Amino acid sequence: VAAFMDHSSLDRLPNGNIILHRRPTGGRHQYTTDQLRLYSNFNYALRGDRISGPGLVVPAGYMEFQELWAQDVDCRYQFTSYDAISGQVAILGAHLPPDELAPVAVRPVVPMQTAARSVSAPTFSSANERLEARRRTIIDTLMLDQLERSQHIQDEIRARRERR
């Protein structure tokens, strides 16, 4: 169980997705594990100045997610707020790594049926689980690299405009 599970506005679903409750209206917002990993990586990039400045490409839904998460001021983990117009970044709380926020799910073993007998599907070996974790790390790194490339392109465009 992750250390942030005492978040007062959060429910974790069996598939790893989470629901954040909007106070005081009680609205419920569901976020998938892929969204959560993307938000965690974006948060990490903002915190480390890997990306900065006005007009960044922000993952869809990040601002609302950050606002909903911040409702629990007692949660030690928080997401960085970002103002797209000014480029201002406000680092709040500790970073929540993607593997804690949205662990890579281990698929359950489902028995396969044959006409003569029941046969179990092969279990995932630790090598396969490591391969899946490596695949997820590569995807996360590619997303961060894309954010950095986008930042670089935006900086170049801004610099060209300023030279005119």
Side-chain angles (χ1 to χ4, degrees), residues 1 9 12 18 25 31 45 70 74 80 94-95 97 107 114-116 129 141 156 164:
V1 177
S9 299
R12 167 110 31 215
I18 66 168
T25 63
Y31 296 93
D74 294 327
T80 304
H95 173 66
R107 294 180 180 92
T114 64
E129 290 169 4
T141 302
E156 286 180 357
R164 289 183 192 169

mmCIF file with all atom_site columns, all heavy atoms in Angstrom, residues 1 9 12 18 25 31 45 70 74 80 94-95 97 107 114-116 129 141 156 164:
data_model
loop_
_atom_site.group_PDB
_atom_site.id
_atom_site.type_symbol
_atom_site.label_atom_id
_atom_site.label_alt_id
_atom_site.label_comp_id
_atom_site.label_asym_id
_atom_site.label_entity_id
_atom_site.label_seq_id
_atom_site.pdbx_PDB_ins_code
_atom_site.Cartn_x
_atom_site.Cartn_y
_atom_site.Cartn_z
_atom_site.occupancy
_atom_site.B_iso_or_equiv
_atom_site.pdbx_formal_charge
_atom_site.auth_seq_id
_atom_site.auth_comp_id
_atom_site.auth_asym_id
_atom_site.auth_atom_id
_atom_site.pdbx_PDB_model_num
ATOM 1   N N   . VAL A 1 1   ? 0.847   -1.182  0.000   1.00 0.00 ? 1   VAL A N   1
ATOM 2   C CA  . VAL A 1 1   ? 0.000   0.000   0.000   1.00 0.00 ? 1   VAL A CA  1
ATOM 3   C C   . VAL A 1 1   ? 0.887   1.239   0.000   1.00 0.00 ? 1   VAL A C   1
ATOM 4   O O   . VAL A 1 1   ? 1.792   1.357   0.816   1.00 0.00 ? 1   VAL A O   1
ATOM 5   C CB  . VAL A 1 1   ? -0.955  -0.007  1.215   1.00 0.00 ? 1   VAL A CB  1
ATOM 6   C CG1 . VAL A 1 1   ? -1.776  1.253   1.264   1.00 0.00 ? 1   VAL A CG1 1
ATOM 7   C CG2 . VAL A 1 1   ? -1.829  -1.229  1.181   1.00 0.00 ? 1   VAL A CG2 1
ATOM 8   N N   . SER A 1 9   ? -9.173  12.637  -0.226  1.00 0.00 ? 9   SER A N   1
ATOM 9   C CA  . SER A 1 9   ? -10.111 12.762  -1.346  1.00 0.00 ? 9   SER A CA  1
ATOM 10  C C   . SER A 1 9   ? -9.925  11.677  -2.392  1.00 0.00 ? 9   SER A C   1
ATOM 11  O O   . SER A 1 9   ? -10.418 11.789  -3.498  1.00 0.00 ? 9   SER A O   1
ATOM 12  C CB  . SER A 1 9   ? -9.936  14.134  -2.023  1.00 0.00 ? 9   SER A CB  1
ATOM 13  O OG  . SER A 1 9   ? -10.210 15.169  -1.138  1.00 0.00 ? 9   SER A OG  1
ATOM 14  N N   . ARG A 1 12  ? -8.813  4.324   -4.545  1.00 0.00 ? 12  ARG A N   1
ATOM 15  C CA  . ARG A 1 12  ? -8.098  3.522   -5.541  1.00 0.00 ? 12  ARG A CA  1
ATOM 16  C C   . ARG A 1 12  ? -9.025  2.412   -6.003  1.00 0.00 ? 12  ARG A C   1
ATOM 17  O O   . ARG A 1 12  ? -9.640  1.723   -5.195  1.00 0.00 ? 12  ARG A O   1
ATOM 18  C CB  . ARG A 1 12  ? -6.825  2.936   -4.939  1.00 0.00 ? 12  ARG A CB  1
ATOM 19  C CG  . ARG A 1 12  ? -6.219  1.873   -5.769  1.00 0.00 ? 12  ARG A CG  1
ATOM 20  C CD  . ARG A 1 12  ? -4.949  2.053   -6.501  1.00 0.00 ? 12  ARG A CD  1
ATOM 21  N NE  . ARG A 1 12  ? -3.929  2.900   -6.009  1.00 0.00 ? 12  ARG A NE  1
ATOM 22  C CZ  . ARG A 1 12  ? -3.166  3.593   -6.857  1.00 0.00 ? 12  ARG A CZ  1
ATOM 23  N NH1 . ARG A 1 12  ? -3.358  3.527   -8.142  1.00 0.00 ? 12  ARG A NH1 1
ATOM 24  N NH2 . ARG A 1 12  ? -2.196  4.340   -6.392  1.00 0.00 ? 12  ARG A NH2 1
ATOM 25  N N   . ILE A 1 18  ? -7.480  5.801   -10.100 1.00 0.00 ? 18  ILE A N   1
ATOM 26  C CA  . ILE A 1 18  ? -7.934  6.446   -8.872  1.00 0.00 ? 18  ILE A CA  1
ATOM 27  C C   . ILE A 1 18  ? -9.102  7.381   -9.169  1.00 0.00 ? 18  ILE A C   1
ATOM 28  O O   . ILE A 1 18  ? -9.292  7.820   -10.304 1.00 0.00 ? 18  ILE A O   1
ATOM 29  C CB  . ILE A 1 18  ? -6.809  7.236   -8.151  1.00 0.00 ? 18  ILE A CB  1
ATOM 30  C CG1 . ILE A 1 18  ? -6.338  8.419   -8.981  1.00 0.00 ? 18  ILE A CG1 1
ATOM 31  C CG2 . ILE A 1 18  ? -5.669  6.334   -7.758  1.00 0.00 ? 18  ILE A CG2 1
ATOM 32  C CD1 . ILE A 1 18  ? -5.455  9.385   -8.197  1.00 0.00 ? 18  ILE A CD1 1
ATOM 33  N N   . THR A 1 25  ? -18.567 19.794  -3.471  1.00 0.00 ? 25  THR A N   1
ATOM 34  C CA  . THR A 1 25  ? -19.670 19.317  -4.309  1.00 0.00 ? 25  THR A CA  1
ATOM 35  C C   . THR A 1 25  ? -19.763 17.801  -4.377  1.00 0.00 ? 25  THR A C   1
ATOM 36  O O   . THR A 1 25  ? -20.821 17.266  -4.698  1.00 0.00 ? 25  THR A O   1
ATOM 37  C CB  . THR A 1 25  ? -19.537 19.849  -5.744  1.00 0.00 ? 25  THR A CB  1
ATOM 38  O OG1 . THR A 1 25  ? -18.332 19.335  -6.315  1.00 0.00 ? 25  THR A OG1 1
ATOM 39  C CG2 . THR A 1 25  ? -19.539 21.365  -5.776  1.00 0.00 ? 25  THR A CG2 1
ATOM 40  N N   . TYR A 1 31  ? -9.027  8.938   -12.917 1.00 0.00 ? 31  TYR A N   1
ATOM 41  C CA  . TYR A 1 31  ? -7.768  9.067   -13.645 1.00 0.00 ? 31  TYR A CA  1
ATOM 42  C C   . TYR A 1 31  ? -7.176  7.674   -13.841 1.00 0.00 ? 31  TYR A C   1
ATOM 43  O O   . TYR A 1 31  ? -7.088  6.893   -12.896 1.00 0.00 ? 31  TYR A O   1
ATOM 44  C CB  . TYR A 1 31  ? -6.787  9.963   -12.877 1.00 0.00 ? 31  TYR A CB  1
ATOM 45  C CG  . TYR A 1 31  ? -7.307  11.372  -12.753 1.00 0.00 ? 31  TYR A CG  1
ATOM 46  C CD1 . TYR A 1 31  ? -8.032  11.770  -11.638 1.00 0.00 ? 31  TYR A CD1 1
ATOM 47  C CD2 . TYR A 1 31  ? -7.111  12.294  -13.777 1.00 0.00 ? 31  TYR A CD2 1
ATOM 48  C CE1 . TYR A 1 31  ? -8.538  13.054  -11.535 1.00 0.00 ? 31  TYR A CE1 1
ATOM 49  C CE2 . TYR A 1 31  ? -7.613  13.589  -13.672 1.00 0.00 ? 31  TYR A CE2 1
ATOM 50  C CZ  . TYR A 1 31  ? -8.320  13.962  -12.552 1.00 0.00 ? 31  TYR A CZ  1
ATOM 51  O OH  . TYR A 1 31  ? -8.820  15.235  -12.458 1.00 0.00 ? 31  TYR A OH  1
ATOM 52  N N   . ALA A 1 45  ? 9.473   16.693  -14.070 1.00 0.00 ? 45  ALA A N   1
ATOM 53  C CA  . ALA A 1 45  ? 10.176  17.571  -15.009 1.00 0.00 ? 45  ALA A CA  1
ATOM 54  C C   . ALA A 1 45  ? 10.083  19.029  -14.577 1.00 0.00 ? 45  ALA A C   1
ATOM 55  O O   . ALA A 1 45  ? 11.057  19.775  -14.669 1.00 0.00 ? 45  ALA A O   1
ATOM 56  C CB  . ALA A 1 45  ? 9.616   17.392  -16.418 1.00 0.00 ? 45  ALA A CB  1
ATOM 57  N N   . ALA A 1 70  ? -4.520  18.797  -4.523  1.00 0.00 ? 70  ALA A N   1
ATOM 58  C CA  . ALA A 1 70  ? -4.097  19.784  -3.521  1.00 0.00 ? 70  ALA A CA  1
ATOM 59  C C   . ALA A 1 70  ? -5.170  20.065  -2.474  1.00 0.00 ? 70  ALA A C   1
ATOM 60  O O   . ALA A 1 70  ? -4.879  20.723  -1.467  1.00 0.00 ? 70  ALA A O   1
ATOM 61  C CB  . ALA A 1 70  ? -3.688  21.081  -4.218  1.00 0.00 ? 70  ALA A CB  1
ATOM 62  N N   . ASP A 1 74  ? -2.870  18.167  3.927   1.00 0.00 ? 74  ASP A N   1
ATOM 63  C CA  . ASP A 1 74  ? -2.101  17.358  4.874   1.00 0.00 ? 74  ASP A CA  1
ATOM 64  C C   . ASP A 1 74  ? -1.344  16.217  4.199   1.00 0.00 ? 74  ASP A C   1
ATOM 65  O O   . ASP A 1 74  ? -0.496  15.586  4.832   1.00 0.00 ? 74  ASP A O   1
ATOM 66  C CB  . ASP A 1 74  ? -3.019  16.793  5.963   1.00 0.00 ? 74  ASP A CB  1
ATOM 67  C CG  . ASP A 1 74  ? -3.597  17.893  6.841   1.00 0.00 ? 74  ASP A CG  1
ATOM 68  O OD1 . ASP A 1 74  ? -2.898  18.909  7.054   1.00 0.00 ? 74  ASP A OD1 1
ATOM 69  O OD2 . ASP A 1 74  ? -4.741  17.744  7.292   1.00 0.00 ? 74  ASP A OD2 1
ATOM 70  N N   . THR A 1 80  ? 3.161   19.857  -8.525  1.00 0.00 ? 80  THR A N   1
ATOM 71  C CA  . THR A 1 80  ? 3.579   21.212  -8.817  1.00 0.00 ? 80  THR A CA  1
ATOM 72  C C   . THR A 1 80  ? 2.493   21.938  -9.591  1.00 0.00 ? 80  THR A C   1
ATOM 73  O O   . THR A 1 80  ? 1.947   21.400  -10.545 1.00 0.00 ? 80  THR A O   1
ATOM 74  C CB  . THR A 1 80  ? 4.875   21.168  -9.664  1.00 0.00 ? 80  THR A CB  1
ATOM 75  O OG1 . THR A 1 80  ? 5.837   20.413  -8.942  1.00 0.00 ? 80  THR A OG1 1
ATOM 76  C CG2 . THR A 1 80  ? 5.396   22.528  -9.957  1.00 0.00 ? 80  THR A CG2 1
ATOM 77  N N   . ALA A 1 94  ? 6.152   16.922  -1.476  1.00 0.00 ? 94  ALA A N   1
ATOM 78  C CA  . ALA A 1 94  ? 7.143   15.997  -2.038  1.00 0.00 ? 94  ALA A CA  1
ATOM 79  C C   . ALA A 1 94  ? 6.637   15.410  -3.346  1.00 0.00 ? 94  ALA A C   1
ATOM 80  O O   . ALA A 1 94  ? 5.431   15.321  -3.580  1.00 0.00 ? 94  ALA A O   1
ATOM 81  C CB  . ALA A 1 94  ? 7.423   14.872  -1.039  1.00 0.00 ? 94  ALA A CB  1
ATOM 82  N N   . HIS A 1 95  ? 7.572   14.999  -4.191  1.00 0.00 ? 95  HIS A N   1
ATOM 83  C CA  . HIS A 1 95  ? 7.236   14.346  -5.462  1.00 0.00 ? 95  HIS A CA  1
ATOM 84  C C   . HIS A 1 95  ? 6.766   12.916  -5.197  1.00 0.00 ? 95  HIS A C   1
ATOM 85  O O   . HIS A 1 95  ? 7.359   12.208  -4.383  1.00 0.00 ? 95  HIS A O   1
ATOM 86  C CB  . HIS A 1 95  ? 8.448   14.340  -6.385  1.00 0.00 ? 95  HIS A CB  1
ATOM 87  C CG  . HIS A 1 95  ? 8.237   13.541  -7.632  1.00 0.00 ? 95  HIS A CG  1
ATOM 88  N ND1 . HIS A 1 95  ? 7.328   13.895  -8.593  1.00 0.00 ? 95  HIS A ND1 1
ATOM 89  C CD2 . HIS A 1 95  ? 8.813   12.394  -8.047  1.00 0.00 ? 95  HIS A CD2 1
ATOM 90  C CE1 . HIS A 1 95  ? 7.349   12.997  -9.563  1.00 0.00 ? 95  HIS A CE1 1
ATOM 91  N NE2 . HIS A 1 95  ? 8.249   12.079  -9.257  1.00 0.00 ? 95  HIS A NE2 1
ATOM 92  N N   . PRO A 1 97  ? 6.636   9.444   -6.954  1.00 0.00 ? 97  PRO A N   1
ATOM 93  C CA  . PRO A 1 97  ? 7.136   8.729   -8.128  1.00 0.00 ? 97  PRO A CA  1
ATOM 94  C C   . PRO A 1 97  ? 6.031   7.948   -8.837  1.00 0.00 ? 97  PRO A C   1
ATOM 95  O O   . PRO A 1 97  ? 5.090   7.459   -8.189  1.00 0.00 ? 97  PRO A O   1
ATOM 96  C CB  . PRO A 1 97  ? 8.179   7.773   -7.543  1.00 0.00 ? 97  PRO A CB  1
ATOM 97  C CG  . PRO A 1 97  ? 8.550   8.353   -6.224  1.00 0.00 ? 97  PRO A CG  1
ATOM 98  C CD  . PRO A 1 97  ? 7.312   9.044   -5.726  1.00 0.00 ? 97  PRO A CD  1
ATOM 99  N N   . ARG A 1 107 ? -0.510  -8.779  -14.502 1.00 0.00 ? 107 ARG A N   1
ATOM 100 C CA  . ARG A 1 107 ? -1.754  -9.381  -15.003 1.00 0.00 ? 107 ARG A CA  1
ATOM 101 C C   . ARG A 1 107 ? -2.031  -10.703 -14.292 1.00 0.00 ? 107 ARG A C   1
ATOM 102 O O   . ARG A 1 107 ? -1.133  -11.510 -14.109 1.00 0.00 ? 107 ARG A O   1
ATOM 103 C CB  . ARG A 1 107 ? -1.646  -9.594  -16.496 1.00 0.00 ? 107 ARG A CB  1
ATOM 104 C CG  . ARG A 1 107 ? -1.558  -8.292  -17.246 1.00 0.00 ? 107 ARG A CG  1
ATOM 105 C CD  . ARG A 1 107 ? -1.440  -8.539  -18.741 1.00 0.00 ? 107 ARG A CD  1
ATOM 106 N NE  . ARG A 1 107 ? -1.353  -7.294  -19.445 1.00 0.00 ? 107 ARG A NE  1
ATOM 107 C CZ  . ARG A 1 107 ? -0.225  -6.683  -19.765 1.00 0.00 ? 107 ARG A CZ  1
ATOM 108 N NH1 . ARG A 1 107 ? 0.922   -7.229  -19.428 1.00 0.00 ? 107 ARG A NH1 1
ATOM 109 N NH2 . ARG A 1 107 ? -0.216  -5.553  -20.405 1.00 0.00 ? 107 ARG A NH2 1
ATOM 110 N N   . THR A 1 114 ? -9.760  -26.372 -22.124 1.00 0.00 ? 114 THR A N   1
ATOM 111 C CA  . THR A 1 114 ? -9.685  -27.197 -23.332 1.00 0.00 ? 114 THR A CA  1
ATOM 112 C C   . THR A 1 114 ? -10.794 -28.228 -23.228 1.00 0.00 ? 114 THR A C   1
ATOM 113 O O   . THR A 1 114 ? -11.401 -28.410 -22.182 1.00 0.00 ? 114 THR A O   1
ATOM 114 C CB  . THR A 1 114 ? -8.325  -27.918 -23.448 1.00 0.00 ? 114 THR A CB  1
ATOM 115 O OG1 . THR A 1 114 ? -8.207  -28.818 -22.348 1.00 0.00 ? 114 THR A OG1 1
ATOM 116 C CG2 . THR A 1 114 ? -7.170  -26.936 -23.455 1.00 0.00 ? 114 THR A CG2 1
ATOM 117 N N   . ALA A 1 115 ? -11.064 -28.910 -24.317 1.00 0.00 ? 115 ALA A N   1
ATOM 118 C CA  . ALA A 1 115 ? -12.147 -29.901 -24.316 1.00 0.00 ? 115 ALA A CA  1
ATOM 119 C C   . ALA A 1 115 ? -11.840 -31.029 -23.335 1.00 0.00 ? 115 ALA A C   1
ATOM 120 O O   . ALA A 1 115 ? -12.725 -31.523 -22.652 1.00 0.00 ? 115 ALA A O   1
ATOM 121 C CB  . ALA A 1 115 ? -12.333 -30.462 -25.720 1.00 0.00 ? 115 ALA A CB  1
ATOM 122 N N   . ALA A 1 116 ? -10.588 -31.465 -23.247 1.00 0.00 ? 116 ALA A N   1
ATOM 123 C CA  . ALA A 1 116 ? -10.256 -32.604 -22.412 1.00 0.00 ? 116 ALA A CA  1
ATOM 124 C C   . ALA A 1 116 ? -9.951  -32.215 -20.961 1.00 0.00 ? 116 ALA A C   1
ATOM 125 O O   . ALA A 1 116 ? -10.327 -32.930 -20.048 1.00 0.00 ? 116 ALA A O   1
ATOM 126 C CB  . ALA A 1 116 ? -9.047  -33.330 -23.003 1.00 0.00 ? 116 ALA A CB  1
ATOM 127 N N   . GLU A 1 129 ? 8.278   -9.823  -15.726 1.00 0.00 ? 129 GLU A N   1
ATOM 128 C CA  . GLU A 1 129 ? 7.886   -8.667  -14.931 1.00 0.00 ? 129 GLU A CA  1
ATOM 129 C C   . GLU A 1 129 ? 8.948   -7.571  -15.038 1.00 0.00 ? 129 GLU A C   1
ATOM 130 O O   . GLU A 1 129 ? 8.619   -6.392  -15.143 1.00 0.00 ? 129 GLU A O   1
ATOM 131 C CB  . GLU A 1 129 ? 7.664   -9.062  -13.477 1.00 0.00 ? 129 GLU A CB  1
ATOM 132 C CG  . GLU A 1 129 ? 6.432   -9.914  -13.293 1.00 0.00 ? 129 GLU A CG  1
ATOM 133 C CD  . GLU A 1 129 ? 6.320   -10.539 -11.916 1.00 0.00 ? 129 GLU A CD  1
ATOM 134 O OE1 . GLU A 1 129 ? 7.179   -10.260 -11.052 1.00 0.00 ? 129 GLU A OE1 1
ATOM 135 O OE2 . GLU A 1 129 ? 5.389   -11.321 -11.720 1.00 0.00 ? 129 GLU A OE2 1
ATOM 136 N N   . THR A 1 141 ? 10.424  7.609   -20.028 1.00 0.00 ? 141 THR A N   1
ATOM 137 C CA  . THR A 1 141 ? 11.555  8.407   -20.487 1.00 0.00 ? 141 THR A CA  1
ATOM 138 C C   . THR A 1 141 ? 11.238  9.082   -21.813 1.00 0.00 ? 141 THR A C   1
ATOM 139 O O   . THR A 1 141 ? 11.563  10.262  -22.018 1.00 0.00 ? 141 THR A O   1
ATOM 140 C CB  . THR A 1 141 ? 12.814  7.514   -20.630 1.00 0.00 ? 141 THR A CB  1
ATOM 141 O OG1 . THR A 1 141 ? 13.083  6.912   -19.363 1.00 0.00 ? 141 THR A OG1 1
ATOM 142 C CG2 . THR A 1 141 ? 14.015  8.307   -21.105 1.00 0.00 ? 141 THR A CG2 1
ATOM 143 N N   . GLU A 1 156 ? 12.998  28.124  -29.024 1.00 0.00 ? 156 GLU A N   1
ATOM 144 C CA  . GLU A 1 156 ? 13.535  28.599  -30.296 1.00 0.00 ? 156 GLU A CA  1
ATOM 145 C C   . GLU A 1 156 ? 12.561  29.539  -30.985 1.00 0.00 ? 156 GLU A C   1
ATOM 146 O O   . GLU A 1 156 ? 12.951  30.575  -31.525 1.00 0.00 ? 156 GLU A O   1
ATOM 147 C CB  . GLU A 1 156 ? 13.863  27.418  -31.208 1.00 0.00 ? 156 GLU A CB  1
ATOM 148 C CG  . GLU A 1 156 ? 15.101  26.653  -30.803 1.00 0.00 ? 156 GLU A CG  1
ATOM 149 C CD  . GLU A 1 156 ? 15.388  25.485  -31.725 1.00 0.00 ? 156 GLU A CD  1
ATOM 150 O OE1 . GLU A 1 156 ? 14.586  25.216  -32.663 1.00 0.00 ? 156 GLU A OE1 1
ATOM 151 O OE2 . GLU A 1 156 ? 16.418  24.827  -31.516 1.00 0.00 ? 156 GLU A OE2 1
ATOM 152 N N   . ARG A 1 164 ? 12.973  39.513  -34.074 1.00 0.00 ? 164 ARG A N   1
ATOM 153 C CA  . ARG A 1 164 ? 12.299  40.282  -35.142 1.00 0.00 ? 164 ARG A CA  1
ATOM 154 C C   . ARG A 1 164 ? 12.016  41.670  -34.728 1.00 0.00 ? 164 ARG A C   1
ATOM 155 O O   . ARG A 1 164 ? 11.946  42.248  -33.838 1.00 0.00 ? 164 ARG A O   1
ATOM 156 C CB  . ARG A 1 164 ? 10.982  39.617  -35.524 1.00 0.00 ? 164 ARG A CB  1
ATOM 157 C CG  . ARG A 1 164 ? 11.201  38.324  -36.265 1.00 0.00 ? 164 ARG A CG  1
ATOM 158 C CD  . ARG A 1 164 ? 9.889   37.756  -36.669 1.00 0.00 ? 164 ARG A CD  1
ATOM 159 N NE  . ARG A 1 164 ? 10.071  36.380  -37.127 1.00 0.00 ? 164 ARG A NE  1
ATOM 160 C CZ  . ARG A 1 164 ? 9.084   35.578  -37.350 1.00 0.00 ? 164 ARG A CZ  1
ATOM 161 N NH1 . ARG A 1 164 ? 7.850   35.953  -37.151 1.00 0.00 ? 164 ARG A NH1 1
ATOM 162 N NH2 . ARG A 1 164 ? 9.303   34.370  -37.778 1.00 0.00 ? 164 ARG A NH2 1
#
